[in-house]
Amino acid sequence: MAMPLRQSIKVATYLAEQKLRKREKFPLIVELEPLFACNLKCEGCGKIQHPAGVLKQRMPVAQAVGAVLESGAPMVSIAGGEPLMHPQIDEIVRQLVAKKKYVFLCTNAMLLRKKMDKFKPSPYFAFAVHIDGLRERHDESVAKEGVFDEAVEAIKEAKKRGFRVTTNSTFFNTDTPQTIIEVLNFLNDDLKVDEMMISPAYAYEKAPDQEHFLGVEQTRELFKKAFAGGNRKKWRLNHSPLFLDFLEGKVDFPCTAWAIPNYSLFGWQRPCYLMSDGYVPTYRELIEETDWDKYGRGKDPRCANCMAHCGYEPTAVLATMGSLKESLRAMRETVSGNRE
C-alpha cells in the first residue's frame, strides 16, 4: 500500500477517534459529484444517461464544500462526470485543501493539460486519472481514439510539475490476468504514478454496456492470477492488504457502503453511488434513515456480483484497525511503499 505516511497517520487517528466516540457508522471518504456532464461516453458509466437539463447543472462551491465538512470525512474523491468541466472546480479543491482534507480529483485527463495551471501541488491533493488498459483497450473502453495517449502525456506533465498523480483502473470480463499485469506494470514502472487503484467492474444499473461486468468468482480468479509471482508487493497499489486479499478470495467481508457515501446534485445517495434508492439532504439522514442491513451480497440481488471498492475497502480498513497483526502488516507495506 503506497499511501503517504502523513495521510496514513491522519486516517488512523481519525478512525481511532471514531472508536473512542463509539460511532458505529462514519465516513472514511466522500465521493463528491459536483456535476454529471462528461466529455466522453464510456460504455461502463451511467452518469451521462441523465436528462440534458441535469447534465447542464453545476454544484455551487459552498454546497460542495459544505457537504464534505458536514460529513467530517478526512478524504474526498471528486468525480462526476468530468470534474474539470466544472468552472469552479479549482476553488472547490482549494477550499477543501485549506481545510486539510485529502482531495483526489478524478479525471479522464482530456482537459488536464489545459486546466493544470488552475491547481497547485500539495501533499493534500492528487489528480486521479482513469486508465482502463493500454492504448487499444483503454480507447475502446472510453469509445474514443487518442484518449490513452493524451492521458499519458497529461500524467507526465503533472508529475513534472510536482503534482501527486494516482490512477484508477476498472477491469471487465474481457480482461485477462495478462492485460491487468501489462497496464499495472506500465503505470508502476514506466509512468511511475504515485498510487494505483483497481476495481472489478460492477453491473451498474444505468450503464449502456451490461454484458461485460464481472461475477464474484470471475473476479477472484482474475486477481488471484494477476497478483501471482509477487506482483502485489511490487505495485504501488492504493488499497489495504486485506482488500487485496478480498479480491483474491482469501477473505470475505460484508458491505459497509455507509463509509464511502456519495454526494451529488441530488443530495446524499442511498445506499451507494452504484445503486440509487433515493436521496436525502443531509449526511445524518443518510446514516440514520437508511436500512443498511438490507444491502450486500446475499441480501439484495443487485449486490450479488459486487466487489466494488466503495462497499468493501472500508470493511477491510476497519478489520485492519481491529487487528494488531493486520495493522502491523499494513504499516509495513505503507513504509515499504514510501521508500520506493
Side-chain angles (χ1 to χ4, degrees):
M1 184 171 64
M3 181 185 291
L5 190 58
R6 181 191 305 190
Q7 183 179 345
S8 298
I9 293 172
K10 181 166 183 176
V11 172
T13 301
Y14 169 80
L15 291 173
E17 289 174 353
Q18 307 314 303
K19 187 174 182 179
L20 285 173
R21 295 178 182 180
K22 298 182 179 180
R23 290 179 176 170
E24 293 184 359
K25 294 181 174 61
F26 48 85
L28 186 61
I29 181 169
V30 169
E31 292 182 334
L32 177 67
E33 295 180 327
L35 80 172
F36 293 131
C38 191
N39 49 2
L40 292 176
K41 297 180 179 180
C42 303
E43 290 297 311
C45 177
K47 299 297 181 180
I48 57 174
Q49 304 304 311
H50 288 294
V54 173
L55 294 178
K56 292 178 181 179
Q57 295 179 31
R58 305 292 184 264
M59 186 182 293
V61 174
Q63 181 182 345
V65 175
V68 175
L69 296 182
E70 177 210 350
S71 76
M75 299 181 287
V76 189
S77 175
I78 305 179
E82 170 51 56
L84 289 178
M85 292 175 64
H86 194 295
Q88 296 174 293
I89 189 61
D90 56 320
E91 183 61 18
I92 294 175
V93 169
R94 189 192 69 78
Q95 291 194 25
L96 290 171
V97 167
K99 296 293 184 180
K100 295 188 176 181
K101 302 294 183 182
Y102 284 92
V103 180
F104 297 85
L105 195 155
C106 303
T107 176
N108 57 40
M110 291 295 287
L111 296 172
L112 184 50
R113 286 198 286 177
K114 295 179 182 178
K115 304 281 188 176
M116 206 176 294
D117 287 338
K118 291 178 173 287
F119 304 91
K120 294 181 180 180
S122 166
Y124 291 95
F125 176 67
F127 289 114
V129 181
H130 207 94
I131 300 288
D132 282 347
L134 295 181
R135 182 180 291 108
E136 183 178 350
R137 295 187 71 82
H138 181 70
D139 286 356
E140 181 181 2
S141 74
V142 301
K144 186 173 182 177
E145 292 185 4
V147 177
F148 176 83
D149 289 337
E150 177 58 33
V152 167
E153 291 305 312
I155 289 172
K156 289 179 179 178
E157 180 64 21
K159 292 284 292 179
K160 181 180 178 181
R161 295 195 193 188
F163 286 100
R164 188 168 183 82
V165 181
T166 69
T167 55
N168 184 11
S169 301
T170 304
F171 299 109
F172 297 81
N173 64 13
T174 51
D175 277 292
T176 65
Q178 188 58 35
T179 62
I180 294 176
I181 291 169
E182 288 172 356
V183 69
L184 294 183
N185 277 344
F186 175 74
L187 297 172
N188 192 84
D189 302 336
D190 298 335
L191 282 187
K192 300 185 186 301
V193 300
D194 294 283
E195 301 167 351
M196 299 175 290
M197 183 178 291
I198 57 178
S199 181
Y202 165 75
Y204 194 11
E205 188 177 22
K206 293 184 179 181
D209 180 1
Q210 291 289 318
E211 297 180 4
H212 297 121
F213 293 106
L214 288 161
V216 171
E217 291 307 317
Q218 286 179 298
T219 296
R220 290 170 175 166
E221 190 66 20
L222 185 64
F223 285 107
K224 185 185 300 181
K225 292 180 178 178
F227 290 161
N231 285 329
R232 258 183 65 169
K233 293 183 178 179
K234 178 182 74 170
W235 294 326
R236 291 182 295 279
L237 297 173
N238 186 19
H239 294 288
S240 63
L242 277 178
F243 180 71
L244 299 177
D245 288 348
F246 169 75
L247 290 181
E248 286 192 69
K250 293 180 178 179
V251 295
D252 201 9
F253 292 122
C255 174
T256 49
W258 45 262
I260 305 188
N262 173 274
Y263 185 78
S264 71
L265 293 165
F266 300 146
W268 294 98
Q269 181 173 330
R270 59 160 63 110
C272 64
Y273 86 97
L274 293 168
M275 291 167 54
S276 180
D277 285 356
Y279 300 84
V280 292
T282 68
Y283 177 72
R284 182 175 180 178
E285 289 175 87
L286 175 72
I287 293 300
E288 295 181 355
E289 299 179 10
T290 304
D291 185 0
W292 298 103
D293 291 335
K294 73 178 185 180
Y295 296 107
R297 280 186 280 119
K299 298 177 180 179
D300 188 314
R302 294 173 297 177
C303 304
N305 289 314
C306 181
M307 294 181 72
H309 167 266
C310 66
Y312 295 97
E313 178 77 85
T315 326
V317 170
L318 294 173
T320 298
M321 290 295 294
S323 165
L324 177 59
K325 177 182 177 181
E326 292 300 335
S327 295
L328 291 173
R329 177 189 178 197
M331 190 181 301
R332 285 196 300 270
E333 295 199 15
T334 296
V335 172
S336 174
N338 279 281
R339 285 175 179 167
E340 294 179 0

